Amino acid sequence: MKKNHVWRTLLTICLATCFSVPALAAAQVGPAWVNGVSISELSQSNYYTGTMTPQDTATEEAEKPVLVTARSGRKGKISTATTSAAATAAENESTAGGNAATSTMVTTSAGSAIATPAAAGSATDPSTALLEKQAAEQAEAAALAAQIAQEEAAASIGTRTGETPIGAVVTEESTKYTKGASLGVFQITGYYGNGKTNSGTWPKADHTIAADTTVLPMGTKVFINNTVYTVEDIGGAVKGNLIDIYYNSYEEAFGVTALGHRFAEVFVAAPKS
């Protein structure tokens, strides 16, 4: 009987101890809290709440942890690997794209990069194209004006009463040549004389002309209206685009410019084949 009583007493003491110790610990110490969240709650969470370890910073590609709590909710993380990859992709796209529209890299809360196209730029600046068009039109207008001036100058030769005609005679020599490339519009004057030319020949009307040999070399044959002339002489006042035509008399030579300056379009005399 005594033995059974002792075992009952020990069993009662053990049971009382088992139930009283946790309650006493909770009453004296209380639950542990971190940032307003109990340790027991954090133990059931998958969130990272520790500090960075040397292993976390071993490489630049590791994620940078963000301290969060169960109350605030999980914050998005941006890894250096994702940022580096997005920057590399943007640089490659910019290099390959040339004049193509640029893109803006946007990182979502999940850490993925999305390329958002910016405003598309034009491959050709409209203002540059407009300026080029205006320049082409101005050049075309200038060329047309020069052509009209030449035609008017040629048409006015020998048409006024009182002036000596220029190149009006179709000589035998003229029939052996045809008009080649235009040399431009020259000012025309007239002269006469009895001496030999600078080339040593005797001057002849409807044949001999004096010219600037830096423009028309000695011996050059040119068409002026219907007559072929040959450069055989020079003159002190004959410079640049000026041709002095030989005439048999003073009156004829003077009559070339009796009413003012005269001009004519001059062509290369090309032999007929």
Side-chain angles (χ1 to χ4, degrees):
M1 294 293 292
K2 292 183 179 180
K3 291 182 179 181
N4 293 335
H5 179 71
V6 172
W7 282 109
R8 290 177 181 176
T9 303
L10 292 175
L11 180 59
T12 303
I13 293 172
C14 289
L15 293 173
T17 302
C18 291
F19 286 103
S20 62
V21 170
L24 179 63
Q28 294 179 354
V29 179
W33 296 78
V34 176
N35 291 337
V37 180
S38 66
I39 293 178
S40 61
E41 183 180 356
L42 291 176
S43 65
Q44 298 176 0
S45 172
N46 293 328
Y47 303 152
Y48 181 87
T49 58
T51 59
M52 294 180 63
T53 63
Q55 183 178 2
D56 294 327
T57 57
T59 63
E60 294 182 358
E61 303 299 325
E63 286 191 345
K64 295 182 179 179
V66 180
L67 182 61
V68 297
T69 65
R71 292 183 180 181
S72 62
R74 185 167 185 168
K75 297 180 180 178
K77 302 178 184 179
I78 302 176
S79 67
T80 56
T82 302
T83 305
S84 176
T88 303
E91 181 179 358
N92 293 338
E93 182 178 356
S94 175
T95 303
N99 293 329
T102 57
S103 299
T104 303
M105 302 304 297
V106 178
T107 304
T108 64
S109 59
S112 61
I114 300 177
T116 303
S122 177
T124 303
D125 190 351
S127 60
T128 302
L130 180 60
L131 291 176
E132 292 177 352
K133 181 180 179 181
Q134 291 177 345
E137 291 176 350
Q138 291 175 356
E140 183 178 356
L144 180 60
Q147 180 180 356
I148 293 174
Q150 290 182 355
E151 292 176 354
E152 290 179 349
S156 65
I157 294 174
T159 58
R160 295 180 292 185
T161 304
E163 290 182 332
T164 301
I166 299 173
V169 178
V170 180
T171 61
E172 182 182 355
E173 183 180 27
S174 301
T175 61
K176 299 177 182 179
Y177 293 86
T178 184
K179 288 183 180 179
S182 174
L183 298 174
V185 176
F186 282 68
Q187 183 177 351
I188 306 298
T189 57
Y191 79 105
Y192 80 106
N194 296 320
K196 287 186 177 182
T197 63
N198 183 264
S199 63
T201 62
W202 292 99
K204 293 184 297 183
D206 301 319
H207 172 80
T208 302
I209 58 174
D212 185 345
T213 55
T214 62
V215 178
L216 298 176
M218 195 70 72
T220 300
K221 292 184 180 294
V222 296
F223 251 111
I224 302 177
N225 291 337
N226 298 319
T227 307
V228 170
Y229 294 91
T230 303
V231 178
E232 295 181 335
D233 211 350
I234 60 174
V238 180
K239 302 295 181 184
N241 281 26
L242 189 148
I243 291 177
D244 203 11
I245 299 178
Y246 176 81
Y247 289 89
N248 290 324
S249 66
Y250 167 82
E251 290 75 19
E252 288 178 301
F254 176 77
V256 172
T257 56
L259 301 180
H261 296 300
R262 300 283 295 278
F263 296 89
E265 187 172 10
V266 178
F267 298 87
V268 173
K272 291 182 178 180
S273 56

